[in-house]
Amino acid sequence: MLRVYGEEIASRLLLGTALYPSPAIMVEAVRASRAQIVTVSLRREAGGGGAGQDFWALIRELGVRVLPNTAGCHSVKEAVTTAQMAREVFGTPWIKLEVINDAETLQPDVFGLVEAAGILTREGFKVFPYCTEDLGVADRLLTAGCEVLMPWGAPIGSARGLNNVYGLRSLRAHFPDVPLVVDAGLGVPSHAAAAMELGYDAVLLNTAVAKAGDPAAMASAFALAVEAGRTAFEADPIEARDMAAPSTPVLGKAFLE
Amino acid sequence: MKVSVIGAGVVGLACASELQARGAQVTIYEQGESVGDSACSWWAGGMLAPWCERESAEEPVERLGAEALDWWDTRVGGVERNGSLVLALGRDAGELRRFARRTSEYEEIDGTRVGAIEPDLAGRFGAGLYFAGEGHLNPRRALADLAKGLAARGAELCFGSAMEPDNAPGDAVLDCRGLAARDVLPGLRGVKGEMLVIRSADVTLSRPVRLLHPRIPLYIVPRGDGVFMVGATMIESDDRTRISARSMLELLGAAYALHPAFGEAEILETGVDVRPAFADNLPRLVRHGNGRVLHVNGMYRHGFLLAPAVARMAAEAVLDATATPEFFQC
């Protein structure tokens, strides 16, 4: 069970709802992923007052938890306003907080992120910050009131997998009790399995499923990989070693020749 | 047989045309004051690109869309059959490979061939896909000509007339109102699209060019006389007020990336409207009540591409009450 902000969530896969060929395929993919939390981008689809209602209705019908995000926000003010709008539209204090620094790489602006996380936490939001694997930033976000961290695997939509395995492992080791979710940059299920094997509590992805040739099949493949990775982590994997270690004792041979 | 068609967008006019061809006496009711006045097809790109669209559309769009080129050529003429070109900037080469995997009926071409096909793009792209069998038309001229042809053959066009399907006279009623029919068609949603019309004397293109980009895939369609349509955004929203600054930036950015001379282009027009779509982005023919009214809707971004095939099905369903064409629902 994944535990975040006092809630128990059965699935360790969080899925985004953007970029699918059609809403019908999005719905199929969410079902196939067995995700119980889906992220929704408010900013782009909202446009003006009350727009996008039909799309929201489809998402509500899924019967899963909605984690609205502040995708596309480049400043603290934009992110805070978007979060407040999301709380009204979806009736949830949960918010995936994105404050983007660079439009090209969509790198988080970690300074703005910490500031916005503090503001939103004081307003009663449960903040899921999209961050880097930087330990200092992680510490500041926790101090600001976040109870979960969502470091990137790689830049959003890049499908590169875990760019900095050392950094992610280090973050896991430094914060053993904080729920950690690898968010963004995953391309194929083995990337998700790798994140789970590192001991991450969950993964969040969107493009890898939405832009696959068969999104529902890919969603199902990711669900299996997340389950495999988590099971492997709990089963305590063996350590890598430099030398071969024969699994069958080599009897009857000279020890040294 | 007397048939009322409500809506003079691409679907209404195509349906009227198919019915008229089968001998029906057609009256078209349009709430706007002229053809295209309140139709989202007025803002269409006019690409007849069934094979390119397959990249993100379901199979019927390719199969049925393949009928569109000949249909438009027969009914109104003016279809440019110069194919279409799909390009990506060097660092987005993966997008081109992905597009190729999802589509068919193209030729993989190198930079030299890109320059041979579109001389103004010579030296700017190292690779592309050339869909030789595709075409494009000027959607506004096509709508106007289709309406003119209908009138010439005896159809009545009533503008400024917001007819409700149940009140419309005749033996049958085709409701082709687009998003305005959402009151009777649950699940119909709006998908916002924004576009620009620009004019540049410095760039000449002979066919639609799609510029692939992981976030912002856009296309440019030549309209002749240095005029180009740049489109179109796809946003889950039914807001039809105005184009956003971000969208304008993205549209112009794509044009500029295709050819920097577009930076000097004049912006003639910006357009916003909302495409009617069902959850699977495929059309529906829905018969309601006593069977007199047939709703034809949900063309999404494929109005000009799918209207011919959908109109044929609708006409068949009107003339034969036992017909159950594809996308038909009772």
Side-chain angles (χ1 to χ4, degrees):
Chain A
M1 279 297 195
L2 170 66
R3 292 180 132 275
V4 276
Y5 287 109
E7 304 283 344
E8 291 202 335
I9 311 290
S11 169
R12 293 179 180 273
L13 175 58
L14 287 66
L15 196 62
T17 56
L19 303 174
Y20 291 84
S22 72
I25 291 174
M26 180 272 289
V27 167
E28 273 176 43
V30 172
R31 296 222 167 99
S33 75
R34 285 172 276 139
Q36 296 189 341
I37 299 175
V38 297
T39 60
V40 178
S41 166
L42 188 76
R43 192 156 212 273
R44 177 131 178 101
E45 315 297 0
Q53 289 302 329
D54 303 300
F55 190 65
W56 306 151
L58 274 172
I59 287 172
R60 280 198 204 93
E61 279 168 26
L62 286 167
V64 296
R65 277 177 178 280
V66 172
L67 174 58
N69 69 36
T70 64
C73 291
H74 285 253
S75 72
V76 173
K77 191 179 162 196
E78 282 175 282
V80 168
T81 310
T82 305
Q84 288 162 342
M85 245 163 73
R87 178 158 63 179
E88 270 181 43
V89 172
F90 293 105
T92 172
W94 283 16
I95 188 76
K96 178 189 157 185
L97 182 61
E98 282 184 35
V99 184
I100 299 301
N101 170 56
D102 174 44
E104 186 68 16
T105 62
L106 302 178
Q107 286 226 23
D109 166 9
V110 294
F111 297 92
L113 186 68
V114 169
E115 189 186 338
I119 294 169
L120 290 171
T121 302
R122 284 193 293 279
E123 291 187 14
F125 282 93
K126 315 283 189 196
V127 177
F128 295 63
Y130 166 61
C131 54
T132 64
E133 68 278 29
D134 185 281
L135 297 176
V137 171
D139 190 49
R140 291 296 185 100
L141 287 167
L142 295 172
T143 307
C146 298
E147 294 180 19
V148 54
L149 298 174
M150 304 216 291
W152 60 357
I156 295 172
S158 68
R160 304 196 67 84
L162 307 182
N163 254 357
N164 182 359
V165 172
Y166 161 76
L168 288 169
R169 190 176 278 137
S170 165
L171 186 71
R172 178 71 285 179
H174 270 75
F175 302 103
D177 301 322
V178 176
L180 297 180
V181 181
V182 166
D183 177 6
L186 304 187
V188 287
S190 55
H191 295 156
M196 298 307 293
E197 286 165 12
L198 289 179
Y200 274 71
D201 295 275
V203 299
L204 194 167
L205 51 103
N206 189 345
T207 312
V209 167
K211 289 286 192 186
D214 184 341
M218 190 57 84
S220 158
F222 267 101
L224 294 169
V226 166
E227 198 182 324
R230 180 64 191 183
T231 309
F233 170 73
E234 288 171 352
D236 189 11
I238 61 166
E239 293 296 325
R241 50 186 294 156
D242 294 336
M243 300 291 288
S247 50
T248 312
V250 190
L251 294 176
K253 289 218 171 181
F255 188 64
L256 285 171
E257 286 199 8
Chain B
M1 185 181 218
K2 290 191 171 175
V3 184
S4 291
V5 174
I6 309 177
V10 68
V11 178
L13 293 176
C15 285
S17 179
E18 283 293 304
L19 282 162
Q20 192 179 57
R22 288 169 171 75
Q25 175 58 46
V26 182
T27 307
I28 301 166
Y29 298 93
E30 163 59 44
Q31 65 168 353
E33 295 300 330
S34 60
V35 169
D37 193 33
S38 66
C40 66
S41 36
W42 188 252
W43 305 104
M47 293 190 295
L48 301 174
W51 295 285
C52 276
E53 286 299 315
R54 184 70 175 100
E55 184 253 340
S56 61
E58 306 269 355
E59 179 276 332
V61 174
E62 177 180 338
R63 174 167 43 86
L64 299 173
E67 299 177 22
L69 282 100
D70 287 342
W71 194 93
W72 285 108
D73 237 356
T74 309
R75 300 296 160 125
V76 299
V79 174
E80 306 271 0
R81 293 173 182 256
N82 299 332
S84 44
L85 201 53
V86 179
L87 302 170
L89 297 172
R91 61 178 190 172
D92 298 328
E95 295 296 315
L96 211 52
R97 291 194 293 273
R98 177 178 173 277
F99 198 97
R101 284 201 304 274
R102 306 278 162 78
T103 55
S104 61
E105 307 299 319
Y106 58 80
E107 182 192 336
E108 290 185 53
I109 57 174
D110 62 12
T112 313
R113 185 109 162 81
V114 171
I117 293 171
E118 287 292 1
D120 278 1
L121 301 181
R124 300 196 50 76
F125 295 88
L129 304 173
Y130 179 45
F131 292 76
E134 298 189 333
H136 68 285
L137 49 68
N138 182 326
R140 295 177 182 181
R141 200 167 59 207
L143 290 176
D145 289 352
L146 201 52
K148 227 180 286 170
L150 281 161
R153 282 185 288 275
E156 198 182 341
L157 280 87
C158 310
F159 291 102
S161 166
M163 183 65 78
E164 288 294 322
D166 288 339
N167 302 334
D171 305 306
V173 179
L174 279 186
D175 174 13
C176 308
R177 290 177 296 157
L179 202 60
R182 71 199 307 182
D183 52 336
V184 286
L185 293 174
L188 192 67
R189 76 186 204 286
V191 182
K192 181 179 180 180
E194 297 153 302
M195 58 86 92
L196 300 174
V197 181
I198 61 177
R199 181 162 55 206
S200 165
D202 302 326
V203 188
T204 303
L205 297 175
S206 303
R207 54 190 55 71
V209 178
R210 292 176 188 238
L211 187 63
L212 303 184
H213 183 279
R215 272 177 268 161
I216 317 157
L218 294 166
Y219 55 82
I220 297 186
V221 187
R223 290 266 166 92
D225 299 325
V227 176
F228 300 85
M229 180 271 189
V230 188
T233 54
M234 307 279 291
I235 301 173
E236 289 290 341
S237 164
D238 48 15
D239 163 59
R240 54 175 16 129
T241 50
R242 264 177 284 278
I243 188 170
S244 76
R246 179 191 300 265
S247 296
M248 178 98 112
L249 203 61
E250 289 172 356
L251 292 166
L252 289 174
Y256 187 75
L258 189 69
H259 200 300
F262 278 124
E264 303 302 320
E266 297 169 80
I267 297 174
L268 301 182
E269 199 180 346
T270 66
V272 182
D273 214 322
V274 178
R275 314 166 180 95
F278 292 100
D280 56 5
N281 292 341
L282 287 172
R284 297 268 192 290
L285 288 85
V286 183
R287 211 193 289 280
H288 259 171
N290 56 14
R292 198 175 71 99
V293 179
L294 184 68
H295 305 277
V296 186
N297 216 317
M299 310 298 278
Y300 184 51
R301 60 180 264 161
H302 301 125
F304 280 84
L305 192 58
L306 292 186
V310 170
R312 170 175 53 75
M313 294 174 195
E316 285 164 5
V318 164
L319 296 171
D320 174 5
T322 63
T324 53
E326 201 171 355
F327 310 121
F328 184 78
Q329 280 182 359
C330 274

